[in-house]
Amino acid sequence: EGRAPLKPFSDVKEMVDKLSILFHKMSLDLGEKFDMLVEMDTLDLDTRKGKAPGGYQYYLQKSRVPFIFMNAAGLQGDLETMIHEAGHAFHSMYCGHLELIGERSYPIEFAEVASMSMELMTQEQWGEFYGPEEVNRARLGHLEGVIFLLPWIATIDSFQHWIYSNPEHTREERKFAWNAIRDRFGSNMDWGDYKIHRDTSWQQQGHLFGVPFYYVEYGIAQLGALQLWRTQRKDPGKALSDYSNGMTLGNTKTLPELFSAADIELGFGEEHLSSLIKEVRVAMAELD
């Protein structure tokens, strides 16, 4: 019998109130930025009949205030989504002083650094929503997701390249290619009688249908986010300073320069990735 799902909050008001406390504990700056979103009434977070699915942050260029949309149902995933979108909102607010819209339209690879790093850097404050045992469970689940995500991103990106390099492929060829790529980047899981579902498991990734070749950016960003989180584990003040230094620049610098401004490396070498995954494993061992 499985465990009941984590329930960090009972309604949206509780989530917002506790997030305000959480961000204020991290820094006065983040706390005030979050409170501004609440005061400006730019949060549409409740789920309701007829409401579109999903979650996103959208910057209102005229008022220069972020708008956050999501469908909260009281689950851990909802909390992570809200923190993720708050990270995007903070990014928009940090670079909102820039004059031109193009300067404020930051590159995708760095946009997700803002959101993914906020998920990680808030982890130590998740006790606002949970008791000691549950908070460790929530944090462990999130870190496990980080490790799972990177090879999945590699799988999806490689599959997209194969699809567009072989436009005349048959269904059987596509199935064979997908399974070969999953074997390369995936685990040794025994699918048993469910192998037929493995053959088509690529269909769960909507990016393949709606935004071709948009997915590897999450991997690039996750590596940056992990570095900010690693810094935070040693020096929380420096991590927040590095975060704001990078986000304030908007789209006025190249991607390598944005990473450099946040004192993180834009790199994909084996040693670099191994050091980040090692940090995740250390953190997981501390929580287990």
Side-chain angles (χ1 to χ4, degrees):
E1 185 177 341
R3 294 180 293 183
L6 292 165
K7 297 282 287 185
F9 57 91
S10 58
D11 56 39
V12 164
K13 184 181 184 306
E14 181 186 358
M15 177 180 70
V16 170
D17 289 346
K18 288 185 175 180
L19 280 174
S20 176
I21 296 170
L22 179 153
F23 287 123
H24 273 281
K25 283 186 175 180
M26 290 181 69
S27 78
L28 178 62
D29 184 35
L30 291 183
E32 289 181 343
K33 280 180 166 56
F34 185 78
D35 289 348
M36 178 184 170
L37 298 176
V38 179
E39 292 162 8
M40 295 290 288
D41 195 23
T42 58
L43 303 176
D44 184 358
L45 311 178
D46 267 315
T47 186
R48 58 183 179 272
K49 186 176 181 179
K51 185 177 180 181
Y56 59 84
Q57 180 266 168
Y58 186 82
Y59 191 58
L60 306 173
Q61 296 290 354
K62 187 173 182 179
S63 61
R64 301 199 184 192
V65 176
F67 167 74
I68 295 178
F69 176 98
M70 66 172 287
N71 288 269
L75 301 177
Q76 171 62 22
D78 298 325
L79 177 60
E80 292 176 19
T81 296
M82 182 59 203
I83 293 171
H84 181 101
E85 301 306 336
H88 284 309
F90 296 150
H91 194 177
S92 296
M93 296 165 92
Y94 274 123
C95 65
H97 65 284
L98 295 169
E99 183 177 357
L100 301 178
I101 290 177
E103 292 179 328
R104 301 194 294 268
S105 301
Y106 34 74
I108 296 169
E109 299 91 340
F110 202 63
E112 298 302 335
V113 172
S115 55
M116 289 176 155
S117 62
M118 194 52 58
E119 291 179 41
L120 288 161
M121 292 195 296
T122 57
Q123 269 209 6
E124 291 194 5
Q125 305 297 336
W126 287 3
E128 287 297 325
F129 294 88
Y130 295 114
E133 184 175 337
E134 286 187 321
V135 74
N136 283 1
R137 178 183 163 194
R139 292 177 65 183
L140 272 170
H142 184 242
L143 292 173
E144 287 172 356
V146 169
I147 292 179
F148 170 83
L149 180 63
L150 291 172
W152 177 251
I153 289 171
T155 302
I156 293 297
D157 189 60
S158 181
F159 185 55
Q160 291 193 91
H161 279 274
W162 184 88
I163 287 174
Y164 288 97
S165 297
N166 299 274
E168 304 298 326
H169 67 264
T170 65
R171 182 177 297 180
E172 283 300 310
E173 288 170 337
R174 183 172 64 233
K175 181 174 72 174
F176 180 83
W178 168 248
N179 281 315
I181 293 168
R182 288 220 66 174
D183 288 341
R184 178 186 176 191
F185 295 112
S187 67
N188 295 320
M189 182 189 300
D190 181 5
W191 286 71
D193 296 335
Y194 297 96
K195 188 179 183 303
I196 187 173
H197 299 293
R198 185 184 197 253
D199 295 342
T200 56
S201 55
W202 56 270
Q203 295 181 15
Q204 67 185 286
Q205 197 60 60
H207 295 68
L208 290 166
F209 302 95
V211 278
F213 289 108
Y214 172 41
Y215 202 62
V216 72
E217 291 84 353
Y218 288 104
I220 296 171
Q222 187 68 275
L223 298 180
L226 284 168
Q227 291 175 76
L228 280 169
W229 167 72
R230 181 171 61 185
T231 299
Q232 188 215 28
R233 281 168 55 80
K234 300 173 183 175
D235 188 341
K238 182 181 186 306
L240 289 175
S241 177
D242 291 344
Y243 182 91
S244 63
N245 287 343
M247 305 310 151
T248 302
L249 295 173
N251 197 30
T252 62
K253 301 293 182 181
T254 64
L255 187 62
E257 289 173 324
L258 291 173
F259 268 67
S260 179
D263 198 21
I264 54 180
E265 177 186 344
L266 181 60
F268 310 99
E270 182 177 347
E271 184 177 346
H272 179 55
L273 268 67
S274 294
S275 70
L276 294 174
I277 297 302
K278 180 181 178 181
E279 189 75 22
V280 175
R281 287 176 170 166
V282 169
M284 291 175 68
E286 293 169 357
L287 296 168
D288 197 357

